[in-house]
Amino acid sequence: MQLRPNAAPSASQLAALTLGAIGVVYGDIGTSPLYALKEVFAHGHLPVNAESIFGILSIVFWALTIIVSLKYVTLILRADNNGEGGLIAMLALASTAVKDRPVLRQILLGVGIFGTAIFFGDGVITPAISVLSAVEGMEVAAPGLNHFVVPITLVVLTLLFMVQKHGTGGIGKFFGPIMTVWCLVLALLGVVHIHENPQVLFALSPHYAISFIHDHPKLAFISLGAVVLCATGAEALYADMGHFGKKPIRLAWFGLVMPALVLNYFGQGAMLLQHPENIGNPFFEMAPQWALYPLVILATFATVIASQALISAAFSVTKQVIQLGYLPRLRILHTSIKETGQIYIPFVNWGLYACIVLAVVFFGSSTKLAAAYGITVTIDMLITTVMTFFVIRFAWRLSLLLCIFATGFFFVIDAMFFGANAIKVIDGGWFPLLIGAVMFMLMMTWKQGRALLSERLRTDSIDLHPFLDAVFSSPPMRVSGTAVFLNADAGTTPNALLHNLKHNKVLHEQNLFVTVKSHEVPWVELKDRIEIEDLGNHCWQIMLHYGFKNEPDVPKALKLLKEHGVTIEDMETSYFLSRDIVIPTIGSGMAPWREKLFASMHRNASGAADFLSLPTNRVIEMGSKVEI
């Protein structure tokens, strides 16, 4: 269920959206108790005593309060882009706010795209550590099964990625109820141990966090690298705002998820006060022996749901980045006839799977993976905070002092967590950073390559208006029907038209020169979809406008021409595309290896016909070689 921006949900809709938010938005952060507290003490830096436990629990509680409750739920959710959230939406909002400052705008675009690239590194680590930590519960239930943890994890992940092509519509309705049960179990496990040791609740006071940081600054700083694991997944609150709305996300957080997380973390702390020897896997040690196997199964379901949410997010982000022109077209399949947002991208699916399998096999345990986790999350948190400053300063036009105060506080907190994770780069943080760096290089290579290609095509192009004047001074034979020439650069003569006149020596009765333009906004409404310019002689220049979350559908958009007096018959319409073959050359463009990479990406991009929803039986492609 999805509401349009500013639509007020009814009580039943609000309940359904809140349940959906619990299942999708909070899968990642909801499964962090499996490993977060364990990793704080995993490397032996901290003694498992009352002072450390009270200090760490207090830091965990205030990290959840400051990062999630105050920063994301209270502030960031206000920065919606036509009802949509996420780093791409924030990037579009920030870049639009500073559009009159071109240098600053380019810097923000670069930073935002880097954050988007880093997201893919997070997309590899999250499913790997989540599922692995759930299956590791078997080591508590039956220590002799520890050799089967990695194989079982790989089987679960393989099945998860195999079912992606079938869509999640059928099982998605169970995500909310399962995650609700999971949160209730988290709370119940915590309450039992808090009841046995209620003094642990004193750690709710910030006094213990401040004292611990003051008395042990070095240990506290190192611990922040693991403490941040309790807040991983906070970005999902903002990213999924367009699907559920602000109110359901806030209700789910304050009404169930945050209380469940706090109770569970404090329950783990209460247990460790009495049984510090359980630090090896405190989450599963909380459960009675009879409940271990059911808890492992429930935890596995919860982590699969968390992984599914992130995989779906990877598909969505990839599609948006393609729309913005930072990645080549990829084959996108729709898995639902009702929900346009449910998509499957085979290349992304199996690319993620290969990297996740590599991470599980290479690192082998959630403890080793935890060293790789956190660095990408904290980078995205920092970037989101920076983007928020430019949104509230230049889009909302708040006072400079207020903007600095509002975002500066969060920037300092984010920077501390980033610094604590930066020291773990050698221990494993390099892995997601490498993935992010590769993605950033690919994205910038594609963007710059497209700019070079467009510049070269523009240099060699012929202006459309004078060309048509010359053609109609001695007109060729006209044939019935409509020709739609897809043209990347409005106002220039498409190569497909030149080839058609050269080889076929005919011109259709109606000729449309169509340029598809993507904008840095999530949605462009139908009323703003089309611009038309009459060129005379039954020729028209058409501009189609789409947001980065719209589905480009040229035939559907061209039906809107009827309102402008232009009628198109589907069966009498042909679509002409120019298929450029890129030839890298030594010159002033990119480095030779990047030009070769761009040429390969351009050659292997999926066809424009599929991306623009053109009927394949009425598409004519004409190729030409272009040197860059």
Side-chain angles (χ1 to χ4, degrees), residues 15 98 134 167 222 236 279 290 312 420 429 507 513 534 540 583 615 621:
V98 296
I222 294 173
I279 193 57
W290 61 265
S312 298
L507 201 62
F513 302 96
D534 192 345
W540 294 270
I583 308 296
E621 283 193 317

Side-chain angles (χ1 to χ4, degrees), residues 351-551:
L352 271 180
Y353 172 74
C355 291
I356 289 170
V357 168
L358 183 63
V360 171
V361 173
F362 181 79
F363 290 97
S365 70
S366 61
T367 295
K368 292 180 179 178
L369 266 171
Y373 206 17
I375 184 72
T376 53
V377 174
T378 51
I379 289 174
D380 273 349
M381 286 180 175
L382 269 171
I383 290 174
T384 299
T385 302
V386 171
M387 293 290 177
T388 302
F389 169 80
F390 288 99
V391 170
I392 65 177
R393 173 63 180 146
F394 294 104
W396 298 359
R397 301 189 182 281
L398 300 181
S399 71
L400 179 61
L401 188 64
L402 178 60
C403 294
I404 292 174
F405 176 77
T407 58
F409 172 70
F410 296 121
F411 184 85
V412 171
I413 300 295
D414 292 339
M416 290 173 59
F417 279 112
F418 170 72
N421 278 278
I423 63 177
K424 300 192 298 182
V425 169
I426 297 177
D427 296 328
W430 58 268
F431 185 74
L433 284 178
L434 177 63
I435 295 172
V438 170
M439 286 301 303
F440 183 68
M441 180 268 296
L442 291 174
M443 292 161 76
M444 295 311 295
T445 296
W446 179 257
K447 185 69 173 179
Q448 290 177 244
R450 287 292 300 170
L452 288 172
L453 179 60
S454 297
E455 183 180 344
R456 183 55 188 270
L457 290 173
R458 197 176 298 114
T459 301
D460 298 337
S461 67
I462 303 170
D463 288 341
L464 182 59
H465 286 76
F467 177 79
L468 290 179
D469 291 340
V471 168
F472 288 112
S473 65
S474 179
M477 181 184 297
R478 306 292 289 262
V479 295
S480 61
T482 301
V484 177
F485 294 94
L486 275 299
N487 194 11
D489 193 7
T492 61
T493 305
N495 284 335
L497 173 61
L498 296 174
H499 288 298
N500 188 44
L501 286 171
K502 179 180 178 181
H503 296 291
N504 300 324
K505 297 179 174 57
V506 296
L507 201 62
H508 283 72
E509 181 183 359
Q510 292 190 137
N511 296 275
L512 308 179
F513 302 96
V514 177
T515 299
V516 176
K517 185 174 182 180
S518 293
H519 295 270
E520 295 173 0
V521 294
W523 306 100
V524 172
E525 301 294 339
L526 276 178
K527 63 183 177 65
D528 301 318
R529 175 77 71 237
I530 194 165
E531 284 183 52
I532 181 171
E533 178 187 354
D534 192 345
L535 303 176
N537 297 295
H538 296 283
C539 297
W540 294 270
Q541 173 72 58
I542 309 294
M543 183 77 75
L544 300 181
H545 301 279
Y546 292 94
F548 56 76
K549 298 201 76 172
N550 284 127
E551 294 285 341

